[in-house]
Amino acid sequence: MNASASLAGLTVEAARRALAAQFKASDIDSPDLDARLLIGAALKLDHTGLAVQSARLITGSEANVIASFAQRRLSHEPVARILGHKEFWGLDLRLSDATLVPRPDTETIVAAALQIVRNHSVSNRPLRIADIGTGSGAILLALLSELPAATGIGTDISPAALETAGLNAQRLGLADRISFVQCDYASALSGRFDLIVSNPPYIRSADIAALDHDVRDHDPHLALDGGIDGLDAYRAITPQAAALLAPGGVLIFEVGHDQSEQVSALMHAAGLTLPYPPKADLGGIYRAVMGRKAAI
Ligand code: GLN
């Protein structure tokens, strides 16, 4: 449909419904929510604002913006990319082409880390945290937002990703406790870390072509492609991390749906102990795998 022609002159409510119907007809997963978010962004209105203004008419220029957002969504660009930001752990994160859209599943890594820190009663200590392949900074920023005395270093091979992570740190008021370094995995890090977290690329190269269009066509492949068996990044990072952990320190990986045992084995082979069971995401899939360096 030519959305700009058909939506101008409709009420906000009617435009929202027309767009949702169009998304639904094109098999978009959450048509109502997506229509509301995109029209809200085009009109610069939040949920309440949309309700308050539901009876007013869409102008021609608003219809043009909505049409361009709609076109992008219909070519399977995720809503978060169209909006340029996404909520993660209650934080509003900016995104760029160089970063993954943070997934709700990845909050499992944050929850696992906080659970360990709180069980050891060290939440108020000046913990040193590293996030390998930080992307938008999601995991590290969430942890720093919860642990007021902690400091963090995020690495990424992509300077553009680090720019986005830096922007997020500033916007969230966490820039004074975080630094970033551009390098391959953990190769430029030194010193001792209490916690090392990572959501590395873990999709098997041959599986990339079969991913959802939303992911395959819009997430950076550098952040997805884990090599032939999906485990390349874990093989590279685990020994680096084992060497960087302080005694008693913990490495926490996000893993793909069938990788928890293999990644646990890599941690064991690198000399880490496995005292914590893997933690499942909301879908019941083991998502966080943890290994600990023996305390002296
Ligand atoms: N969870 C992402 C996906 O399924 C993959 C992220 C990653 O490789 N770290 O698309």
Side-chain angles (χ1 to χ4, degrees):
M1 119 179 145
N2 181 341
S4 75
S6 57
L7 295 187
L10 290 185
T11 64
V12 169
E13 177 59 19
R16 193 181 62 68
R17 281 211 232 104
L19 194 60
Q22 193 190 5
F23 286 166
K24 192 161 183 196
S26 300
D27 278 335
I28 302 286
D29 270 347
S30 44
D32 293 302
L33 178 64
D34 291 6
R36 184 154 54 71
L37 288 170
L38 292 177
I39 291 188
L43 270 45
K44 301 193 168 48
L45 294 173
D46 62 10
H47 188 60
T48 315
L50 276 180
V52 170
Q53 301 201 19
S54 63
R56 82 143 165 97
L57 303 183
I58 300 281
T59 67
S61 63
E62 285 171 344
N64 287 338
V65 179
I66 296 170
S68 85
F69 286 173
Q71 209 46 58
R72 290 169 69 181
R73 186 65 193 113
L74 289 168
S75 31
H76 289 279
E77 184 167 348
V79 170
R81 287 211 182 275
I82 299 171
L83 303 182
H85 61 110
K86 168 86 179 171
E87 188 193 309
F88 179 83
W89 201 262
L91 307 174
D92 181 47
L93 297 178
R94 293 293 165 96
L95 308 175
S96 67
D97 290 348
T99 68
L100 290 176
V101 175
R103 320 284 208 252
D105 293 343
T106 301
E107 295 186 337
T108 312
I109 315 313
V110 178
L114 292 175
Q115 203 174 354
I116 289 172
V117 165
R118 287 173 182 153
N119 282 348
H120 286 86
S121 305
V122 292
S123 351
N124 293 319
R125 300 252 184 96
L127 300 172
R128 289 193 77 216
I129 306 173
D131 181 6
I132 313 303
T134 195
S136 63
I139 301 174
L140 185 54
L141 292 165
L143 289 174
L144 293 185
S145 77
E146 297 279 354
L147 303 169
T151 56
I153 301 185
T155 78
D156 209 288
I157 198 161
S158 158
L162 290 177
E163 207 172 298
T164 304
L167 175 68
N168 283 325
Q170 297 224 326
R171 295 185 73 243
L172 296 168
L174 295 167
D176 56 337
R177 288 193 283 131
I178 200 167
S179 54
F180 296 103
V181 49
Q182 194 248 327
C183 66
D184 203 10
Y185 299 126
S187 58
L189 298 185
S190 59
R192 288 280 168 266
F193 293 89
D194 303 292
L195 209 49
I196 300 181
V197 292
S198 181
N199 173 20
Y202 57 65
I203 309 289
R204 291 178 192 84
S205 305
D207 292 346
I208 300 255
L211 293 174
D212 278 353
H213 285 272
D214 292 36
V215 174
R216 188 194 68 196
D217 300 342
H218 298 283
D219 274 323
H221 285 200
L222 205 55
L224 295 174
D225 191 340
I228 289 176
D229 66 356
L231 300 172
D232 281 1
Y234 301 109
R235 273 190 288 269
I237 296 169
T238 307
Q240 292 178 341
L244 290 163
L245 282 173
V250 178
L251 168 63
I252 309 181
F253 275 128
E254 174 168 331
V255 298
H257 68 97
D258 56 359
Q259 294 172 327
S260 67
E261 286 182 19
Q262 289 158 303
V263 173
S264 297
L266 286 171
M267 287 186 172
H268 180 71
L272 301 179
T273 62
L274 302 165
Y276 315 102
K279 189 174 174 69
D281 63 22
L282 292 174
I285 290 168
Y286 285 138
R287 196 55 77 186
V289 171
M290 291 145 267
R292 185 166 185 260
K293 182 135 155 181
I296 297 169

